Amino acid sequence: MKLKYQLTIVILAISILTACSETGKVKESEANTNLLTGLVVGQQQGISSVMDSLAEIRGYWKGGFCSGGTCSSFTSNVSIVQDPSGFGIWASGSSYLRIIAVDTVNRTFIYQYLPNDTYSPSKYTKVIWTAPTTSGCENSATKCFYYCTVYPNFSSLKEAENVNLSSYSSADPTRTGCGGFGWSKALFVSSNPTNW
């Protein structure tokens, strides 16, 4: 009888210890589902914050170049949009580039080239922009802004984020301030970029 009693106590102790060690554990399939849900939600929140940060320049614009105090050649299509997968996109000319970081305080964003890009595969580029204005816009555009592409293209996101911008200035964008040249200028066309 004593042996039965001891075995019963041992079995109960093992059962209690096993139950305690399983407390708080989640099944692998449930953990994978929770991870996937978290990644999707986090990605959607990141997508929203990038696009929300670019609200003042989102849309379809005509891009031109400034030099010697004037801006002209507004023939390039410039779109700042959300693509079908939900990411921010900078589409200029025939380039279609994913925006991966935005700094609204300094009005900069960084885009990354596709891995199969001919000239800058997987490299990063920083763009500086000015606040849009409704005055001084060519071709009867209702609003416009200046932008400057910082060169060279960078090998890492960290390099692009930390580039020294002290030599870049929007004080006289029609003449200088963008790497020794005038800035580019975008004229508003539409909030709905259908031509890219």
Side-chain angles (χ1 to χ4, degrees), residues 42-54 58 82 86:
Q43 180 183 26
Q44 291 304 318
Q45 289 172 345
I47 291 165
S48 290
S49 71
V50 167
M51 289 314 296
D52 291 346
S53 300
L54 294 169
R58 278 178 23 191
Q82 192 165 346

Side-chain angles (χ1 to χ4, degrees), residues 24-149:
K25 288 189 177 180
V26 178
K27 293 180 186 173
E28 183 179 1
S29 62
E30 188 178 334
N32 289 339
T33 300
N34 291 340
L35 175 62
L36 181 59
T37 302
L39 289 173
V40 168
V41 168
Q43 180 183 26
Q44 291 304 318
Q45 289 172 345
I47 291 165
S48 290
S49 71
V50 167
M51 289 314 296
D52 291 346
S53 300
L54 294 169
E56 72 177 4
I57 59 171
R58 278 178 23 191
Y60 173 50
W61 308 76
K62 280 292 185 181
F65 301 96
C66 303
S67 178
T70 60
C71 302
S72 60
S73 301
F74 293 98
T75 57
S76 175
N77 295 332
V78 176
S79 293
I80 300 98
V81 298
Q82 192 165 346
D83 75 1
S85 67
F87 284 92
I89 296 296
W90 169 263
S92 178
S94 61
S95 298
Y96 179 87
L97 307 154
R98 182 171 281 177
I99 297 169
I100 57 172
V102 180
D103 176 354
T104 55
V105 173
N106 296 305
R107 284 197 169 91
T108 65
F109 64 83
I110 298 169
Y111 61 73
Q112 185 178 25
Y113 287 91
L114 297 172
N116 61 353
D117 184 80
T118 305
Y119 303 105
S120 299
S122 300
K123 294 218 172 174
Y124 301 85
T125 298
K126 182 173 258 187
V127 175
I128 311 165
W129 83 87
T130 63
T133 181
T134 56
S135 63
C137 302
E138 292 82 353
N139 302 342
S140 302
T142 57
K143 63 181 174 177
C144 54
F145 70 94
Y146 294 95
Y147 63 97
C148 171
T149 304

